Amino acid sequence: MKKQTQAGLPRHVAIIMDGNGRWAKKRLLPRSAGHRAGMNRMISLSEAVFDRGVEVCTVFALSTENLSRPEEELKGLFSLFREYFAKNVEKLVKKHILLKVIGNLSLLPEDIGELVRAGEEETKGGDKGTLVLAIGYGGRQDILAAVNEAVRRGREVSEEEFSALLYTKDLPEPDLLIRTGKELRISNFLLWQSAYTEFYFTDTLFPDFTDEELDKALKAYAARERRYGKI
Ligand code: IPE
Ligand code: IPE
Ligand code: MG
């Protein structure tokens, strides 16, 4: 009898970009240098993801918990985000990539919220792929906000209605989640959305995660059998 259908190419790849600080430490560089290297890698890696035919690429760039990091590190990260929007939105427009940001922007400096809105607006015609940046994002906070909205509506909601109350409404659920940087955990990323996501963990620190390693992860995914509880 034929085996279960294998997974093939994921439609949505989510990436937890972890290990930037350790990458810098190994080189006796400040953590900020690791974040810069990580941002540069993120830009070319997301291009590689779309080149392979993936429709949606979500990158976890800052969690709600990361907002408790020292002020100096946060300042550096916010500057990097500003730089990212200033330099990359035009590139995304040219490549017909739609930009979407998920997370609680009210936790970030106001001007970042404005850059996000402008970036989303400028790229809104993009139909070749969707790049989702998770900034100030927390899975529990995402779920809780949806629960509270459902409560305000004053009635029970279905799974579909609940999904539509999350930041990720309009997006397919992630098929493949890649986490770099050795840790074997989800760190409050897409908790509801990753119920049936395939996980791929690697020790490689994010700035060292090459396109070849992406291909290795995609190959591993392609061979997975997704059963969704069936046999
Ligand atoms: C991931 O790298 C980027 C962010 C969480 C902002 P880290 O900063 O967590 O790097 P490590 O884990 O300390 O090496
Ligand atoms: C996860 O990395 C969050 C992001 C990559 C944005 P962390 O470095 O914050 O995760 P923990 O603290 O090791 O779980
Ligand atoms: Mg980390």
Side-chain angles (χ1 to χ4, degrees):
M1 208 174 84
K2 194 176 166 285
K3 277 214 139 192
Q4 285 278 333
T5 321
Q6 291 181 326
L9 182 75
R11 192 174 165 208
H12 180 177
V13 173
I15 302 168
I16 300 181
M17 50 182 286
D18 194 23
N20 294 345
R22 281 163 284 160
W23 181 92
K25 193 172 178 200
K26 249 173 70 182
R27 288 164 178 76
L28 307 177
L29 293 169
R31 288 179 60 84
S32 58
H35 290 312
R36 174 164 295 281
M39 181 177 84
N40 291 337
R41 186 78 276 268
M42 187 277 275
I43 292 168
S44 35
L45 183 68
S46 57
E47 282 175 13
V49 168
F50 293 124
D51 286 346
R52 280 145 184 80
V54 172
E55 291 170 41
V56 182
C57 177
T58 298
V59 180
F60 200 12
L62 193 76
S63 69
T64 41
E65 291 72 24
N66 292 149
L67 290 164
S68 314
R69 288 193 181 186
E71 203 179 308
E72 197 197 310
E73 175 154 345
L74 287 176
K75 266 194 190 163
L77 286 166
F78 295 149
S79 299
L80 274 181
F81 292 146
R82 290 186 184 101
E83 196 182 314
Y84 174 83
F85 286 104
K87 290 190 181 160
N88 284 281
V89 169
E90 210 168 310
K91 244 168 96 178
L92 294 173
V93 172
K94 280 198 185 115
K95 289 184 180 274
H96 304 277
I97 302 293
L98 183 118
L99 177 69
K100 186 177 163 68
V101 174
I102 59 172
N104 186 350
L105 293 175
S106 73
L107 300 174
L108 308 179
E110 233 178 271
D111 66 308
I112 294 192
E114 282 154 25
L115 288 168
V116 165
R117 275 184 286 279
E120 288 181 332
E121 180 64 27
E122 278 176 57
T123 61
K124 74 176 182 205
D127 55 3
K128 292 268 187 301
T130 302
L131 175 62
V132 184
L133 296 181
I135 306 177
Y137 178 84
R140 285 185 174 176
Q141 292 80 355
D142 195 1
I143 291 169
L144 201 57
V147 168
N148 286 329
E149 177 55 30
V151 168
R152 273 192 291 275
R153 291 182 184 183
R155 59 176 176 84
E156 293 186 6
V157 292
S158 66
E159 274 190 27
E160 287 70 27
E161 285 174 298
F162 190 76
S163 297
L165 294 175
L166 298 168
Y167 282 119
T168 46
K169 62 171 183 287
D170 307 328
L171 296 171
E173 288 177 0
D175 298 298
L176 168 64
L177 171 67
I178 299 171
R179 180 172 188 145
T180 61
K182 210 168 176 180
E183 314 300 351
L184 305 178
R185 53 179 173 253
I186 192 165
S187 301
N188 201 17
F189 196 25
L190 301 164
L191 300 180
W192 167 277
Q193 298 87 337
S194 63
Y196 270 100
T197 298
E198 298 291 331
F199 286 30
Y200 182 91
F201 293 102
T202 170
D203 288 357
T204 305
L205 304 173
F206 186 74
D208 291 330
F209 188 78
T210 58
D211 291 0
E212 287 69 37
E213 292 201 54
L214 166 69
D215 287 329
K216 220 173 110 183
L218 290 173
K219 198 172 163 206
Y221 172 82
R224 303 266 177 99
E225 277 178 28
R226 304 186 73 183
R227 286 188 287 275
Y228 299 98
K230 303 188 177 87
I231 54 167

